[in-house]
Amino acid sequence: DAKTTQPPSMDCAEGRAANLPCNHSTISGNEYVYWYRQIHSQGPQYIIHGLKNNETNEMASLIITEDRKSSTLILPHATLRDTAVYYCIVRGPGNKLVFGAGTILRVKS
Amino acid sequence: GAVVSQHPSWVICKSGTSVKIECRSLDFQATTMFWYRQFPKQSLMLMATSNEGSKATYEQGVEKDKFLINHASLTLSTLTVTSAHPEDSSFYICSARRGGGGSYNEQFFGPGTRLTVL
C-alpha cells in the first residue's frame, strides 16, 4: 500500500474550519484514502474514505486532488472535542490498515 | 457506525501470568479481525490479522507463541498474552471489518485494553 505523509501537528481555532493535508504521491488506481482519528486513550474512530471523488458526511469532507496524489480532510467547524491524532491511510481492497504517525490537531478556544 | 467492544478495558497482572483480551463485534459479523498494539506517544502497530475459523497471520517480529489469537466465531476474537512481562505493557486495540474485505468495508475499532504487567 502507498505511503502517506502528514504534518506532525496543527493548531486550529475553535469554530473555524480545520484543513488537514495528506500526501500520497505513490497511490495506485485501486487504492482508497481513509481517514481515522484517535482521541487520547481511545480506539481509532473512522471518519471518511474516498477513491477519486470528493466525499462528505456528517463528520467531515474529503477533498482528493484530480491526480489523487494528495487529499485534504476538512472539519468544517472544529470544536475542542475534535482535538485528536488524525491518520490518513491509503489502502487497497482487502488489504490491512497500516497507521503512520498522523497529525496531532489541537483545537484551541 | 458499527460497534466493537473489548473486555477488559484495563488489566494489571503479575509477570509470568497470562492475560486474555476479548474483542466482539456487537452489531455485525466480522470475517476479519485485527489486533494492534500501541506504546505511549507512538502510532498503532499491527500485530496480526485473523479470519474466522482459520489461523491468524502475524506481522513480522510478532511472536505467535506469545500472542495467541483465536477467532472462533464471526463476532468474537481473543488475544492471549502468554507469560506476560513488563515490556508487554501496552494499549491493545482490536478492529473488525465487515464482509469480505472489499473496498467499501470500513474497519471499526474497539476502545482498547490497557495492559500493565508488574
Side-chain angles (χ1 to χ4, degrees):
Chain A
D1 292 324
K3 183 179 172 165
T4 62
T5 304
Q6 298 177 252
S9 65
M10 292 181 65
D11 290 340
C12 176
E14 189 179 19
R16 304 296 295 267
N19 297 287
L20 292 93
C22 179
N23 285 323
H24 31 78
S25 58
T26 59
I27 192 170
S28 61
N30 66 345
E31 289 179 320
Y32 283 70
V33 180
Y34 287 78
W35 283 85
Y36 284 78
R37 72 180 182 185
Q38 186 179 26
I39 295 169
H40 183 63
S41 293
Q42 297 181 24
Q45 176 189 23
Y46 166 82
I47 301 174
I48 199 166
H49 77 282
L51 181 63
K52 327 178 173 181
N53 300 322
N54 297 338
E55 302 288 343
T56 295
N57 62 22
E58 64 278 3
M59 287 184 69
S61 294
L62 174 60
I63 308 298
I64 302 174
T65 57
E66 194 169 338
D67 62 8
R68 303 212 319 127
K69 293 186 177 181
S70 66
S71 61
T72 301
L73 178 74
I74 301 172
L75 307 179
H77 305 286
T79 70
L80 298 178
R81 287 179 293 182
D82 291 321
T83 292
V85 181
Y86 286 77
Y87 297 99
C88 168
I89 304 168
V90 171
R91 177 174 82 97
N95 290 351
K96 301 167 280 194
L97 276 177
V98 178
F99 287 77
T103 295
I104 299 171
L105 174 68
R106 299 185 195 90
V107 180
K108 300 184 175 180
S109 58
Chain B
V3 178
V4 177
S5 71
Q6 278 184 244
H7 178 79
S9 54
W10 59 270
V11 57
I12 301 172
C13 70
K14 292 182 179 179
S15 187
T17 60
S18 294
V19 174
K20 180 185 281 189
I21 303 170
E22 290 188 350
C23 175
R24 292 181 186 274
S25 57
L26 297 185
D27 50 0
F28 67 100
Q29 293 186 328
T31 51
T32 307
M33 286 186 169
F34 306 85
W35 286 95
Y36 293 80
R37 181 168 55 180
Q38 186 174 32
F39 292 109
K41 298 192 185 303
Q42 294 186 23
S43 187
L44 285 79
M45 185 194 78
L46 181 63
M47 299 174 67
T49 302
S50 74
N51 292 294
E52 184 262 339
S54 59
K55 289 185 179 179
T57 302
Y58 291 80
E59 295 298 305
Q60 191 171 11
V62 178
E63 300 174 59
K64 62 180 181 181
D65 294 330
K66 181 167 185 65
F67 299 100
L68 302 179
I69 292 172
N70 185 295
H71 191 166
S73 77
L74 287 172
T75 59
L76 174 64
S77 176
T78 60
L79 167 68
T80 301
V81 183
T82 63
S83 186
H85 291 285
E87 57 266 29
D88 298 322
S89 298
S90 188
F91 193 48
Y92 291 87
I93 306 169
C94 77
S95 179
R97 187 164 69 197
R98 268 195 281 239
S103 305
Y104 289 92
N105 293 324
E106 303 101 291
Q107 197 168 312
F108 300 96
F109 287 80
T113 296
R114 176 80 55 195
L115 170 63
T116 302
V117 185
L118 302 176

